[in-house]
Amino acid sequence: MNRELCIGHGECAWIAPDVFGLSDDDGAVVLLRPHPSADLHEAVLDAQHSCPGGAIEVATGSTEE
């Protein structure tokens, strides 16, 4: 996640609220779960693809077992 690229649109927090939130301070994305469980993987990928600023990068093997 690159906070400098985040424009605070909120798509990620809407799509995957268990993983992403928005900062009260600046409206930028806050990573709530750096290593989300496998059942959240699809939502995280949807959030990545929906991010207008390209701020979300999903690393391979980044989910909890």
Side-chain angles (χ1 to χ4, degrees), residues 8-22 29-33 36-37 39-53 56 58:
H9 194 268
E11 285 292 312
C12 59
W14 184 76
I15 293 170
D18 292 331
V19 180
F20 302 103
L22 295 177
V29 67
V30 176
L31 189 58
L32 303 174
R33 286 184 160 176
S37 57
D39 63 315
L40 297 172
H41 186 72
E42 187 174 333
V44 171
L45 290 177
D46 287 346
Q48 177 189 29
H49 295 292
S50 297
C51 179
I56 300 170
V58 178

